[in-house]
Amino acid sequence: MALRTPPLHAVHETRGASFTDFGGWEMPVEFDSINEEHEAVRTAAGIFDVSHMGEITVTGPDATELMNRLTTNDVAALEPGEAQYAAITDEEGIIIDDTVVYRLPDSLPEGTPGAGADYLFIPNAGHDAQMHERWTAHREQWDLDADVTNQTDEYGIVAVQGPDAEDLVAAAAGEAARDLGRFSAEAMTIAEVPAWVARTGYTGEDGYEIVVPMDEMEPVWAAFDCQPCGLGARDTLRLEYGLLLSGQDFNPEENPRTPLEAGIGFAVDLDTDFVGRDALAAQQESGVEQVFTGFVLEERGVPRHGYSITDEDGAEIGAVTSGTMSPTLREPIGLGYVDEGRAEDGETVFISIRDEGKRAVVRTPPFIGENQ
Amino acid sequence: MSFDIPENLYYTESHEWVDPETGKIGITDYAQDELGDIVFVEFPGVGDHLETDDELGVVESIKAVSDIYAPVSGEVTAVNEALEGEPELLNDDPYGEGWLVELDLDSTDEVESLLTPEEYESQL
């Protein structure tokens, strides 16, 4: 299957980006150096093209009910202009995807992404068709009155992240950008392009995610004078904060996990009636066998996805799902699932790297910031 | 993009270089560029004897793990311990301070079967 290319592909190419296949999209992985890009976001600001993420809008009298029954969080609690993190689970409570749901105001100017719809949600790269199908199938099954539209090919997303992001977005979109609270969003105009500007992101830093019409991305991208960043830096940045990466830290086929196992129980509201709710309530009651946590390697090496986590006798007690040499800490860090009794902070575990157990200590992420 | 390919070295298709004068081995400018930020290097033991194509070590960047193979056979006489503290030397100076290991070559003839700078350049 041919890779989908973001409209900024040629712009990125001119800027010297290298590319990778991410969820069926050919996306920039690196512009200059992952370390440089990572540092720019931690100390100043960086801009990311995340157009591979999906966009689905839901509209109609039963839109809230449809959203609430297909996501784990309480969508009804959202005011217009608010965003919410949630998981999408199957009947067994297994995470199929994670997403951010935006409750859209009625008053969005024409041309603004999401205008006319009640909700916009962002599935992970390559999941848009599957989520669209899931939403429409359940709408039919439950006989709900809601329109579901996959707008992934119509909208693109630019993320501006880092301590200088507020100044940059205020300069490009207007001073109102400064007043946006975390997980709030508003319609704004950037380089004369109508944009849905949200104070969200996936780097652990303050920042904005800006949804714009796909064919008008170029002037929006050009409106920000900061370090262009690829998906390589996005990965190291999110990893330092212990944020889940779909497909890697959970995967319904290869590594089926519930939100309670994956450490995102905060995004599960068992008072709402969603697909998977009963399974999660039962798991809440019985407890989980393994939990998602972090660790810091105390010996030389780099933990990677798929490596075993063992006890001192070499018995397997978990597996690494993500790992890297932290560009900020310059220490090898990782995320993974560990048997419940061995996941306490300070616990010594071993990471099996090329058949050798390397000593590590369990540490609840984030690795930087408040827990540092 | 053009890469530095010194005239006095021999090369492998898997992007290692060997200096027949000193027995030093490393990875090429192209290889370090492809790997990106190098964060970890694992060496063989000094005194180990390696046959051609034996695993000589591992170089890891933030995004990839890459096995390094011995271009020729010989005994390991030194490893570049500086890379343990500063693996980025491999990015900054792959033919100089970023060398990996030094071999006492079994035979200098073996080097002749490797790629010349011109041959290596043509395969990039």
Side-chain angles (χ1 to χ4, degrees):
Chain A
M1 198 173 77
L3 290 178
R4 295 157 90 174
T5 51
L8 293 172
H9 192 281
V11 174
H12 300 327
E13 215 167 6
T14 307
R15 179 58 181 74
S18 56
F19 294 85
T20 189
D21 168 11
F22 198 99
W25 290 74
E26 191 175 18
M27 299 303 294
V29 66
E30 190 175 348
F31 286 86
D32 296 308
S33 123
I34 292 175
N35 275 333
E36 266 177 57
E37 295 164 29
H38 183 110
E39 193 187 341
V41 174
R42 289 277 179 256
T43 59
I47 185 168
F48 300 78
D49 177 0
V50 283
S51 295
H52 58 313
M53 303 296 283
E55 292 88 13
I56 294 177
T57 51
V58 184
T59 317
D62 297 330
T64 302
E65 186 172 354
L66 184 61
M67 291 302 300
N68 238 10
R69 288 170 73 165
L70 287 171
T71 63
T72 57
N73 217 334
D74 184 11
V75 173
L78 286 175
E79 298 291 332
E82 286 183 348
Q84 181 183 71
Y85 178 66
I88 296 148
T89 50
D90 66 13
E91 288 289 351
E92 277 74 50
I94 301 300
I95 308 171
I96 306 170
D97 206 354
D98 63 349
T99 190
V100 170
V101 178
Y102 296 99
R103 174 81 170 93
L104 301 166
D106 296 332
S107 55
L108 285 184
E110 203 177 325
T112 307
D118 294 316
Y119 294 94
L120 165 68
F121 74 97
I122 313 291
N124 279 291
H127 290 192
D128 53 297
Q130 182 198 358
M131 289 302 126
H132 179 254
E133 195 182 312
R134 184 174 182 78
W135 255 248
T136 49
H138 280 87
R139 176 193 62 192
E140 302 305 319
Q141 187 188 333
W142 297 325
D143 196 22
L144 295 176
D145 185 1
D147 290 329
V148 182
T149 312
N150 184 357
Q151 301 195 271
T152 302
D153 288 337
E154 292 161 57
Y155 303 148
I157 305 180
V158 161
V160 182
Q161 302 279 300
D164 294 349
E166 184 181 293
D167 288 341
L168 287 164
V169 177
E175 289 295 307
R178 295 189 193 278
D179 301 331
L180 273 182
R182 183 90 184 129
F183 271 72
S184 295
E186 242 175 64
M188 296 182 188
T189 303
I190 299 174
E192 296 179 24
V193 176
W196 176 244
V197 179
R199 199 147 194 171
T200 53
Y202 216 61
T203 60
E205 296 298 325
D206 184 19
Y208 297 77
E209 287 176 310
I210 300 164
V211 188
V212 293
M214 197 68 120
D215 54 9
E216 294 180 86
M217 288 192 77
E218 218 170 307
V220 176
W221 179 266
F224 296 98
D225 181 17
C226 58
Q227 172 71 49
C229 301
L231 295 183
R234 182 172 159 91
D235 191 45
T236 53
L237 288 157
R238 68 95 197 168
L239 217 159
E240 286 184 342
Y241 268 81
L243 302 173
L244 295 172
L245 181 62
S246 166
Q248 191 162 308
D249 296 315
F250 63 86
N251 182 322
E253 283 86 38
E254 289 154 30
N255 189 11
R257 297 291 177 177
T258 70
L260 304 180
E261 292 167 326
I264 54 167
F266 61 86
V268 175
D269 187 337
L270 293 173
D271 293 332
T272 63
D273 183 19
F274 60 87
V275 174
R277 186 242 164 239
D278 293 349
L280 293 178
Q283 192 180 49
Q284 175 112 310
E285 194 71 27
S286 63
V288 295
E289 287 177 15
Q290 289 196 319
V291 292
F292 188 69
T293 190
F295 59 85
V296 178
L297 205 61
E298 294 187 322
E299 296 185 75
R300 294 186 69 242
V302 185
R304 303 276 180 182
H305 178 83
Y307 288 2
S308 292
I309 302 175
T310 70
D311 65 13
E312 51 285 354
D313 299 323
E316 189 161 316
I317 56 168
V320 178
T321 53
S322 291
T324 194
M325 184 68 75
S326 159
T328 304
L329 304 173
R330 294 182 70 93
E331 282 183 301
I333 60 170
L335 304 171
Y337 294 89
V338 180
D339 287 352
E340 206 276 332
R342 300 298 304 264
E344 289 294 312
D345 272 30
E347 184 89 30
T348 296
V349 295
F350 294 83
I351 310 302
S352 186
I353 300 180
R354 294 183 278 281
D355 297 325
E356 205 179 317
K358 303 276 189 178
R359 196 177 61 252
V361 62
V362 171
R363 190 187 303 166
T364 305
F367 294 102
I368 64 168
E370 67 219 60
N371 278 15
Q372 193 177 5
Chain B
M1 191 161 184
S2 71
F3 296 99
D4 189 16
I5 305 174
E7 286 294 322
N8 60 323
L9 306 177
Y10 286 85
Y11 300 87
T12 67
E13 287 178 8
S14 51
H15 311 290
E16 291 94 358
W17 57 261
V18 58
D19 181 342
E21 295 293 316
T22 63
K24 278 186 176 164
I25 289 167
I27 64 169
T28 65
D29 187 27
Y30 170 84
Q32 70 75 24
D33 186 71
E34 281 289 295
L35 282 165
D37 300 297
I38 290 165
V39 294
F40 179 77
V41 181
E42 196 171 274
F43 297 114
V46 171
D48 286 0
H49 186 271
L50 302 173
E51 295 296 331
T52 304
D53 296 333
D54 276 359
E55 206 171 282
L56 174 149
V58 176
V59 171
E60 298 199 36
S61 67
I62 288 182
K63 62 187 180 190
V65 183
S66 190
D67 291 325
I68 309 300
Y69 300 96
V72 288
S73 60
E75 185 180 312
V76 179
T77 54
V79 299
N80 186 1
E81 287 171 3
L83 292 176
E84 292 191 0
E86 289 180 90
E88 60 273 20
L89 288 174
L90 242 169
N91 290 119
D92 298 340
D93 191 9
Y95 302 110
E97 287 189 72
W99 64 277
L100 287 170
V101 303
E102 196 176 276
L103 292 189
D104 180 11
L105 305 187
D106 286 352
S107 150
T108 46
D109 296 348
E110 272 189 78
V111 175
E112 304 290 329
S113 64
L114 298 175
L115 301 174
T116 64
E118 296 73 29
E119 288 167 338
Y120 179 65
E121 186 172 20
S122 70
Q123 69 141 40
L124 291 183

